[in-house]
Amino acid sequence: MSAYNFAFLDEQTKRMIRRALLKAVAIPGHQVPFGSREMPLSYGWGTGGVQVTASVIGPDDVFKVIDQGADDTTNAVSIRQFFERTTGVRTTTRTDAATLIQTRHRIPETPLREGQILVLQVPIPEPLRWLEPREIETRKMHALEEYGVMHVRLYEDITRHGHVETAYDYPVLVNGRYLMRPSPIPKFDNPKLDRNPALLLFGAGREKRIYAVPPYTPVRSLDFEDHPFTVERWDRTCALCGAADAFMDEIVVDDKGGRMFVCSDTDHCERRRGR
Amino acid sequence: MAADVPLLRARDVSKLYGARVGCRDVGLDLWPGEVLGIVGESGSGKTTLLGCLSGRLVPTSGSVEFMLRDGTVVDVLQLSEPALRKLARTDWGVVHQNPRDGLRAGVTAGANVGERLMALGARHYGRIRAEALDWLDRVEIDRGRIDDWPETFSSGMQQRLQIARTLVTRPRLVFMDEPTGGLDVSVQARLLDLVRGLTADLGLSAIIVTHDLAVTRLLAHRLLVMRGGEVVESGLTDQVLDDPQHPYTQLLVSSVLQP
Amino acid sequence: MTEPALVVEGLHKTFTLHTQGGIQLPVLRGVDLTVHPGECVALMDPSGSGKSTLLRAIYANYRPQCGRIVVAHDGGRMDMAGAGPRELLAVRRRTIGYVSQFLRVIPRVPTLDVVIEPLRAFGMPREAALERGRALLERLRIPERLWSLSPVTFSGGEQQRVNLARGFIADFPILLLDEPSASLDSAGRAIVVELIRDARKRGAAIVGAFHDREVREAVATRAVTLHGEEAA
């Protein structure tokens, strides 16, 4: 194996990212710029998450990677192997056994504990970007708590669809102060953000931003008084384990449009089946 | 309603760009319920003055004081940016010449009107929408257009929507820059009428910059005539237009075409 | 003898036409006039001699070069010649009413609203103002079907009657009338006389230019010229 530093990044870079993480933890939900490095995977494939993981992972960590809830997709496997090669740490598919979990687009069903770290991959960190393309302006809006416009977006959804159509990356208010994008997790997972005992870290590599939600921080999904926030419900249970309250994937099984619903979180499903 | 303190007081406001004079030594008092017109031709400094009064330009010298709702007087030029932005969203309104500068594109008319309410913490969809409908009525836009984008409106309708969007938070002072510029004559008349009615009904104060004397005759109680960055004449609107003293004012008044 | 409602002292008004080489037209050359409540003073000068100019100067529509225009306003006395725009607007709202020769028409505003506007400035509630407006329009024989229309399309006589309604609807302590019976037939002129008499009775001080001799003789308590002696 070639002589890469532990977890690929050099120590100075890790220091820089840790400083950004400390700032982020000190100001929950606030986006901290950082010197995002070139990583051996393309922008849009989790470079931010990988850099955060690389900066916090240590030899005693037990590491899990999921992509859309599954440990066995190409992306999850690639990232897990990357860290196996550059750190030699133990890896696992079990949420309750991991100390450090990197995830794309889901929060695990199994509740997290104090001491665990969840690293989320973020494409666009700025919740106001849909409305305001200028960075100087969005920074001011965050600084001055000018968040009324986010409700304009929800208003438009209700006007067009009768309800808030946003189903993932649903905007939240962190610690009553900062408006944040939780990354493209389904809104089903938003309640898990609220007062989670674990440390939640968010990395956007292409946009060069880091933010964090420290343990037990209140996180509230935006809504209207007469259109309160709700999560998805299915009228099915998982075809494999029978779970009724997990986030489902819909899988097409044949050419005739036959489909089945299974838990998106593979570890959760396996445990329920006693594996 | 404090009678002794003006709503807006400007003293010796000057804006210089090196040797070039934007405006010089302008002073004025504006009282609640008054509409002040600032007229002059292009380059007279009227738009510069409006910018200095509304916090968008920083004057080279002079002071601008504004009386808040609770009676305290603040120096506009010393306000922090957050305080100034808040003032601009609540107590002040701005109507731009080009309505597109005062509207949010890609967002429905209803959201345009409701945005300032949401920015101030309104969180009930039904009530926000009801108030937006009410304002569309007031500015004579068909209620059925509430979910349409302003880009689909005629320019007169866009201008009226801009007015609704600005007035929804009941500002006490509205700055207008050529509000009827670019509109057809009949559309202008309708808009002026609307502005006139609203300023009277809501007890608004307004500062209206225009080159069109007919607009001032209709809307303004008082008039400032500007030329070369300086105020050459001021007084009651009908007095300045019917009995102009300064040679430039006489020229301006006599140049108006009578149909 | 009661306090005068209006005192004009040494009023000079000269027009300087800068756009025509700066020629000067001195129209008022030291006008003195005192008017008490209940008086109706008629200005006797021939056309073009400055009657309108005096009335407009008193109303602050024209700016005099020098002199004083002292009115009883809000319980005190105010010299309008030195007053600022805010005070002048207050005087126009509550103390001096002015009936000009022309009705300045704003399209789309209904006649009834045009007429009651001075009452709104007094703070009268809308319903009470509307009642008074309707009564006055009836008295001036403006048909009810016209009340919700803008006066833009009215005949000269109808416009003048709307003008009168607007001028007489509020109880101004001082009234300035510039040819109030212009464009009216004899019935119309009779109503003008009634309105002026009613105003005098409630204590208004009135100054007017009355071209029509009948009207003048019916309403004037005194006749003066701008620069000459008082005539009986």
Side-chain angles (χ1 to χ4, degrees):
Chain A
M1 178 156 107
S2 49
Y4 284 111
N5 197 37
F6 182 85
F8 182 79
L9 293 175
D10 60 278
E11 291 306 306
Q12 296 306 326
T13 298
K14 290 183 198 171
R15 265 189 168 145
M16 177 272 294
I17 293 176
R18 287 177 199 143
R19 284 195 197 102
L21 286 168
L22 286 174
K23 282 183 194 156
V25 167
I27 314 173
H30 167 65
Q31 298 165 50
V32 180
F34 78 106
S36 181
R37 299 290 188 251
E38 277 217 19
M39 300 299 288
L41 69 168
S42 302
Y43 287 136
W45 293 84
T47 57
V50 165
Q51 286 178 85
V52 171
T53 296
S55 303
V56 301
I57 196 166
D60 300 331
D61 270 305
V62 180
F63 183 55
K64 169 179 161 84
V65 188
I66 49 171
D67 172 19
Q68 306 260 45
D71 300 84
D72 56 357
T73 67
T74 310
N75 299 331
V77 168
S78 298
I79 293 173
R80 191 168 60 242
Q81 284 182 349
F82 170 77
F83 280 106
E84 278 172 342
R85 286 183 65 189
T86 57
T87 66
V89 298
R90 270 179 53 219
T91 62
T92 180
T93 61
R94 301 189 68 97
T95 304
D96 60 347
T99 58
L100 178 61
I101 305 170
Q102 179 167 333
T103 176
R104 172 178 173 270
H105 298 190
R106 285 276 355 252
I107 295 182
E109 304 289 356
T110 309
L112 300 172
R113 297 186 315 270
E114 269 185 33
Q116 286 182 308
I117 297 178
L118 186 68
V119 176
L120 294 99
Q121 295 171 205
V122 176
I124 304 284
E126 178 51 68
L128 300 168
R129 188 61 68 225
W130 74 277
L131 185 82
E132 179 53 66
R134 295 169 295 178
E135 175 71 12
I136 43 172
E137 194 53 32
T138 50
R139 286 202 198 189
K140 264 192 201 156
M141 290 163 87
H142 282 290
L144 303 176
E145 271 184 275
E146 288 180 11
Y147 290 146
V149 289
M150 202 63 225
H151 278 88
V152 169
R153 162 67 167 261
L154 302 183
Y155 169 100
E156 291 286 84
D157 268 5
I158 297 171
T159 300
R160 203 170 297 139
H161 309 289
H163 55 270
V164 180
E165 183 71 358
T166 307
Y168 59 90
D169 208 1
Y170 193 103
V172 296
L173 197 68
V174 177
N175 208 26
R177 176 55 181 90
Y178 277 95
L179 187 66
M180 185 187 91
R181 279 177 100 133
S183 83
I185 55 176
K187 64 175 182 170
F188 183 85
D189 284 342
N190 272 24
K192 300 188 180 77
L193 296 164
D194 187 31
R195 281 170 275 238
N196 198 304
L199 173 63
L200 311 177
L201 303 178
F202 298 78
R206 175 184 49 210
E207 295 294 309
K208 306 174 183 17
R209 295 285 184 276
I210 274 169
Y211 45 99
V213 177
Y216 301 111
T217 303
V219 176
R220 215 184 131 255
S221 301
L222 298 192
D223 60 5
F224 283 100
E225 285 165 20
D226 50 342
H227 284 86
F229 174 78
T230 56
V231 296
E232 302 90 317
R233 294 262 173 266
W234 288 260
D235 52 4
R236 315 276 188 120
T237 56
C238 171
L240 298 179
C241 75
D245 56 357
F247 191 84
M248 303 286 190
D249 284 338
E250 187 179 349
I251 303 176
V252 175
V253 294
D254 57 37
D255 290 340
K256 298 192 224 54
R259 48 201 65 218
M260 63 192 251
F261 288 78
V262 298
C263 293
S264 125
D265 186 333
T266 51
D267 175 53
H268 177 78
C269 197
E270 278 176 11
R271 288 162 53 94
R272 282 184 55 88
R273 284 180 274 139
R275 314 263 178 95
Chain B
M1 239 202 318
D4 310 287
V5 184
L7 186 65
L8 187 77
R9 163 164 287 171
R11 286 286 176 269
D12 305 318
V13 173
S14 297
K15 178 68 177 168
L16 305 172
Y17 299 97
R20 194 161 63 80
V21 174
C23 64
R24 176 161 33 213
D25 295 335
V26 179
L28 63 92
D29 283 343
L30 185 73
W31 301 84
E34 278 185 357
V35 178
L36 175 72
I38 305 179
V39 294
E41 297 174 321
S42 307
S44 59
K46 56 192 198 294
T47 301
T48 304
L49 177 61
L50 194 72
C52 291
L53 296 173
S54 61
R56 276 176 298 125
L57 290 177
V58 178
T60 313
S61 58
S63 68
V64 179
E65 291 176 343
F66 178 74
M67 182 180 68
L68 302 174
R69 269 176 226 260
D70 61 5
T72 48
V73 174
V74 293
D75 181 346
V76 170
L77 306 176
Q78 299 299 323
L79 279 183
S80 65
E81 194 177 345
L84 191 61
R85 279 168 80 117
K86 177 147 186 238
L87 194 61
R89 273 205 310 273
T90 53
D91 255 4
W92 283 358
V94 177
V95 177
H96 298 93
Q97 177 174 2
N98 186 343
R100 269 176 282 266
D101 292 336
L103 290 173
R104 207 177 273 290
V107 153
T108 63
N112 261 283
V113 176
E115 183 181 333
R116 278 174 89 149
L117 296 173
M118 289 185 255
L120 292 176
R123 291 288 178 267
H124 192 282
Y125 176 82
R127 285 200 289 264
I128 293 166
R129 196 173 166 80
E131 186 142 1
L133 284 168
D134 182 57
W135 272 97
L136 290 184
D137 286 343
R138 284 193 204 226
V139 299
E140 298 175 21
I141 293 178
D142 175 20
R143 284 187 160 213
R145 305 295 306 261
I146 187 173
D147 299 327
D148 292 345
W149 285 6
E151 292 90 308
T152 64
F153 288 7
S154 69
S155 46
M157 279 171 78
Q158 285 182 358
Q159 194 56 300
R160 279 179 278 135
L161 182 65
Q162 195 199 171
I163 288 170
R165 178 180 156 89
T166 297
L167 296 186
V168 73
T169 50
R170 301 274 200 280
R172 289 150 68 232
L173 173 58
V174 182
F175 300 94
M176 300 194 204
D177 192 351
E178 308 276 8
T180 56
L183 297 177
D184 292 338
V185 175
S186 61
V187 175
Q188 269 191 42
R190 191 174 173 196
L191 185 76
L192 289 174
D193 204 40
L194 182 71
V195 171
R196 194 178 159 274
L198 286 173
T199 50
D201 287 343
L202 301 176
L204 293 180
S205 301
I207 299 180
I208 303 180
V209 159
T210 180
H211 64 274
D212 187 343
L213 296 180
V215 170
T216 61
R217 174 89 72 180
L218 193 62
L219 294 183
H221 302 105
R222 299 164 46 203
L223 212 51
L224 291 184
V225 181
M226 289 193 72
R227 183 193 188 209
E230 301 193 334
V231 176
V232 298
E233 186 157 357
S234 70
L236 297 178
T237 302
D238 63 290
Q239 182 260 299
V240 172
L241 296 179
D242 289 345
D243 184 25
Q245 305 292 302
H246 191 276
Y248 176 69
T249 316
Q250 289 189 359
L251 178 64
L252 210 61
V253 171
S254 64
S255 307
V256 175
L257 300 173
Q258 305 289 348
Chain C
M1 169 107 125
T2 52
E3 288 280 306
L6 168 68
V7 177
V8 177
E9 261 175 25
L11 197 65
H12 285 261
K13 176 59 186 166
T14 297
F15 292 97
T16 304
L17 305 181
H18 295 286
T19 53
Q20 296 186 45
I23 56 173
Q24 301 210 322
L25 304 172
V27 177
L28 302 178
R29 302 175 299 278
V31 174
D32 298 312
L33 181 65
T34 301
V35 188
H36 287 86
E39 285 198 283
C40 176
V41 177
L43 303 172
M44 298 298 292
D45 301 67
S47 285
S49 314
K51 302 193 295 292
S52 284
T53 302
L54 176 65
L55 295 172
R56 288 191 188 224
I58 296 173
Y59 197 60
N61 179 233
Y62 283 172
R63 189 182 286 219
Q65 267 61 47
C66 67
R68 283 156 45 90
I69 304 170
V70 182
V71 299
H73 168 68
D74 271 357
R77 311 192 66 72
M78 176 195 296
D79 180 6
M80 288 177 67
R86 187 159 175 256
E87 290 85 22
L88 293 175
L89 288 171
V91 168
R92 285 184 178 182
R93 264 184 223 120
R94 294 195 292 279
T95 299
I96 305 185
Y98 177 57
V99 180
S100 68
Q101 288 181 52
F102 315 102
L103 175 67
R104 193 158 249 131
V105 179
I106 302 167
R108 297 187 355 136
V109 180
T111 295
L112 191 49
D113 286 287
V114 169
V115 164
I116 66 168
E117 207 222 318
L119 290 177
R120 307 290 285 131
F122 269 93
M124 185 181 287
R126 191 170 162 80
E127 258 323 299
L130 286 170
E131 247 192 75
R132 216 197 248 209
R134 288 183 201 116
L136 193 48
L137 284 173
E138 249 190 75
R139 192 173 169 191
L140 283 160
R141 295 178 310 127
I142 302 275
E144 194 171 335
R145 63 181 163 78
L146 296 181
W147 295 355
S148 56
L149 302 177
S150 162
V152 132
T153 52
F154 292 2
S155 70
E158 281 165 344
Q159 286 196 357
Q160 183 56 7
R161 277 177 280 146
V162 172
N163 208 6
L164 287 166
R166 190 189 152 89
F168 279 91
I169 195 162
D171 295 337
F172 287 111
I174 301 173
L175 279 175
L176 307 172
L177 309 176
D178 196 345
E179 306 294 353
S181 59
S183 330
L184 298 182
D185 59 14
S186 64
R189 291 196 293 272
I191 301 178
V192 171
V193 168
E194 268 179 47
L195 289 172
I196 295 176
R197 282 192 178 147
D198 290 346
R200 275 187 53 219
K201 246 183 257 169
R202 65 167 173 80
I206 305 176
V207 184
F210 306 100
H211 182 76
D212 185 284
R213 187 144 158 256
E214 248 182 70
V215 170
R216 192 173 64 231
E217 289 184 354
V219 301
T221 58
R222 194 158 48 108
V224 302
T225 58
L226 294 170
H227 301 101
E229 299 294 320
E230 286 209 19

